[in-house]
């Protein structure tokens, strides 16, 4: 079974209570369940992780190397700051989808640039948690028959 690593950065553990007008009312556990179900439907295995730590996020990307067919990543605030995360993603040879729950192109200036976008094969933003479902669809479409 092909594996997708779904990696989430800082403060996404607070989904459901954090700025619900921007990020919605569903929790990270709801999101994890949705992702597992969607991946299984497509005969993929999802490994779902969340961390507040940049170094653990880098470690998680490195763990995906040689193991995952694709990475779906919402690096959250580190998207806008982390060359280390970009470097780690550049070492991964599989398909990369960047997800943002909110539309970062329509928010503060400092959110408009993402280092992750420099490596991502596809970027989804502004679709709420459904963006993760769309990201899984995109991965399946890209790599199912390879
Ligand atoms: C986010 C957008 C980022 O700017 C922010 O720092 C986050 C979440 C999103 O999913 O919309 O924590 O990545």
């Amino acid at each position: 079974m092909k594996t997708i690593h779904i990696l989430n950065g800082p403060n996404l553990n607070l989904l459901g209570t954090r700025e619900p007008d921007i990020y919605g009312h569903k929790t990270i556990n709801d999101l994890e369940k949705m992702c597992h179900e969607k991946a299984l439907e497509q005969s993929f295995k999802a490994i779902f992780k969340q961390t507040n730590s940049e170094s653990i996020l880098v470690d998680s990307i490195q763990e995906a190397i040689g193991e995952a067919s694709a990475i779906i990543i919402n690096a959250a605030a580190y998207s806008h700051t982390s060359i280390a995360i970009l470097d780690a993603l550049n070492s991964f040879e599989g398909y990369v989808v960047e997800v943002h729950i909110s539309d970062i192109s329509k928010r503060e200036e400092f959110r408009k640039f993402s280092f992750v976008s420099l490596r991502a094969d596809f970027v989804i933003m502004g679709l709420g948690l459904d963006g993760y479902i769309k990201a899984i669809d995109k991965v399946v479409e890209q790599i199912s028959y390879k």
Side-chain angles (χ1 to χ4, degrees):
M1 199 181 250
K2 288 183 175 161
T3 303
I4 310 171
H5 286 216
I6 303 174
L7 307 179
N8 295 282
N11 299 304
L12 292 170
N13 55 315
L14 299 180
L15 281 178
T17 54
R18 169 194 187 201
E19 300 180 272
D21 46 321
I22 299 175
Y23 299 110
H25 291 278
K26 291 207 171 130
T27 66
I28 187 94
N29 291 337
D30 297 331
L31 175 61
E32 177 167 11
K33 190 162 174 275
M34 278 166 56
C35 289
H36 282 305
E37 285 171 4
K38 176 70 185 177
L40 266 184
E41 244 173 52
Q42 307 285 349
S43 303
F44 275 71
K45 181 178 163 194
I47 307 269
F48 187 97
K49 296 182 186 174
Q50 188 278 328
T51 176
N52 291 328
S53 150
E54 182 178 15
S55 69
I56 294 175
L57 202 48
V58 169
D59 289 342
S60 296
I61 295 165
Q62 291 185 6
E63 282 161 21
I65 296 170
E67 210 202 290
S69 302
I71 292 176
I72 294 172
I73 183 163
N74 183 350
Y78 294 139
S79 315
H80 316 299
T81 61
S82 179
I83 298 168
I85 287 171
L86 172 62
D87 284 347
L89 287 170
N90 279 333
S91 300
F92 176 72
E93 290 189 342
Y95 198 72
V96 176
V97 184
E98 175 180 16
V99 174
H100 296 283
I101 297 166
S102 63
D103 185 347
I104 56 172
S105 71
K106 298 200 173 123
R107 295 182 64 192
E108 301 95 326
E109 256 337 284
F110 61 82
R111 293 187 203 275
K112 289 186 178 155
F113 175 78
S114 163
F115 283 101
V116 173
S117 295
L118 300 177
R119 164 62 181 88
D121 297 296
F122 198 74
V123 181
I124 296 172
M125 60 177 81
L127 298 181
L129 300 193
D130 284 349
Y132 288 78
I133 300 299
K134 291 262 184 302
I136 294 171
D137 278 332
K138 188 71 192 170
V139 167
V140 171
E141 177 196 307
Q142 289 297 311
I143 66 178
S144 270
Y145 303 105
K146 281 194 184 158

